[in-house]
Amino acid sequence: MNHEIGFEMAASGVRFGPGITREVGMDLADLGARNVLVITDPVLRGLKPVEVVLESLQENGIPFTVYDRVRVEPTDESFHDAIGFAKQSPTGNPYDAFVAVGGGSTIDTAKAVNLYTTYPPEDFLDYVNAPIGKGLPVPGPLKPLIAIPTTAGTGSETTGVSIFDLTRMHAKTGIASRRLKPTLGLLDPENTRTMPPQVAASSGLDILSHAIESYTALPFSERLLPARPGLRPAYQGSNPISDIWSLEALRIVSRYLVRAVEDPTDDEARANMLLAASYAGIGFGNAGVHLPHGMSYPVSGNVKTYRVDGYPHIHGDSHPLVPHGFSVILNAPAVFRFTASASPQRHLEAAAALGANMNGAHAQDAGKILADRITWFMQRVKTPNGLREIGYTPSDIPALVEGTLPQHRVTKLSPRPATPEDLSRLFEGSMNAW
């Protein structure tokens, strides 16, 4: 059995600074764009971030059309809607560049639009991760995509991953390819001022879990060597470069997450959380995530009645919604208690980066120390107390396990393999967080 001998580092270009959204028109002019599709959601359509983008395009003479029907927590159906819209350019000429203004849902939708309009497949699932889809490689380079995040969490502006709910499965899945990465991410702290506290909490906890998962993921050297370099996956396992970004993201989270949630006017905290999102994105975009994300996909896909303040509900219906960061973090304490035995030192280092008291810490306590520190943040930013509080009961566990099992792209990166029985126990342990 030949094991992996190398790892590859890839990330989008990013530019950080207050007010840099106003530069997007100049960037597109420099790229030679002549027909741009701006992608956003109905709530942001009337807010300052989109207004600034459109003004910049107008000032630089860039023709554009706006698509504003992005669904928060997108589905295959909402992807189809956006792709269909993009195929009907009012000029009759294909769009030659895309701008995504919004959170991870918007940026992921824009990635899918770019892919499916540039290289239309025979079947929608052709590019979707195996075993749910065929996992076919992206055939070639995509068109320019500039991502302008208005939340600080997903890091989607740096990654080659596009996530959506597959409606018939009631679980999330996605598309992963380095070619999906945006051309440029514009990290403008002014844009996160529109982010309500509960959005800041959920997205910030997503950063936290991204960083811990990538730091504790199966080491890249324990994966199998691919037949060709081009078959090396986007998620390669923990590696020395991703480690640096992930640990620094955790240090930033430990200093600024609570401040960013409790005081929306704290510009320093919001700016640093925006940086942390990209730091963690660079880390997990190359190392990958594992069980907390794999388990989160059926949690958000099978939601019954739960709703949370601060999240827009699209198309006039207040559809039930578990924000992605919550669906991830609710499983995280149980998972890290489970995985710590595989790499106790890394779990302790993650806890230390998050500001845990490490006096007298021992390897056998690594899982508890890290889980307790995560729980502290969950309580401080008023996260739901476990899966039970968002509407799940133990009778739902078989369906949650069934929705997790196909998520090979992430579950196989767990440093400790999880059987269906293990997953059942982890979901049971996540019913109540404290």
Side-chain angles (χ1 to χ4, degrees), residues 337-361:
R337 284 192 290 267
F338 170 79
T339 58
S341 61
S343 54
Q345 187 59 35
R346 281 188 169 253
H347 286 67
L348 288 173
E349 288 166 356
L354 277 175
N357 183 349
M358 305 304 290
N359 291 335

Side-chain angles (χ1 to χ4, degrees), residues 258-280:
V258 173
R259 284 175 52 181
V261 173
E262 295 183 345
D263 182 4
T265 67
D266 188 336
D267 288 341
E268 180 187 12
R270 291 276 173 120
N272 275 279
M273 288 302 293
L274 189 61
L275 278 176
S278 281
Y279 281 31

Side-chain angles (χ1 to χ4, degrees), residues 351-377:
L354 277 175
N357 183 349
M358 305 304 290
N359 291 335
H362 298 287
Q364 63 266 30
D365 302 321
K368 182 180 186 303
I369 292 170
L370 180 54
D372 287 351
R373 187 57 177 164
I374 295 169
T375 303
W376 182 89
F377 281 101

Side-chain angles (χ1 to χ4, degrees), residues 21 24 37-45 47-54 57 66-68 70 98-107 110 145-151 191:
T21 301
V24 65
L37 181 61
V38 178
I39 298 173
T40 190
D41 68 51
V43 174
L44 274 168
R45 180 65 175 88
L47 297 180
K48 190 70 173 179
V50 172
E51 178 186 331
V52 172
V53 167
L54 301 187
L57 299 186
V66 178
Y67 173 83
D68 62 2
V70 167
F98 302 93
V99 177
V101 190
S105 297
T106 295
I107 299 171
L145 166 60
I146 297 180
I148 305 176
T150 57
T151 62
N191 291 334

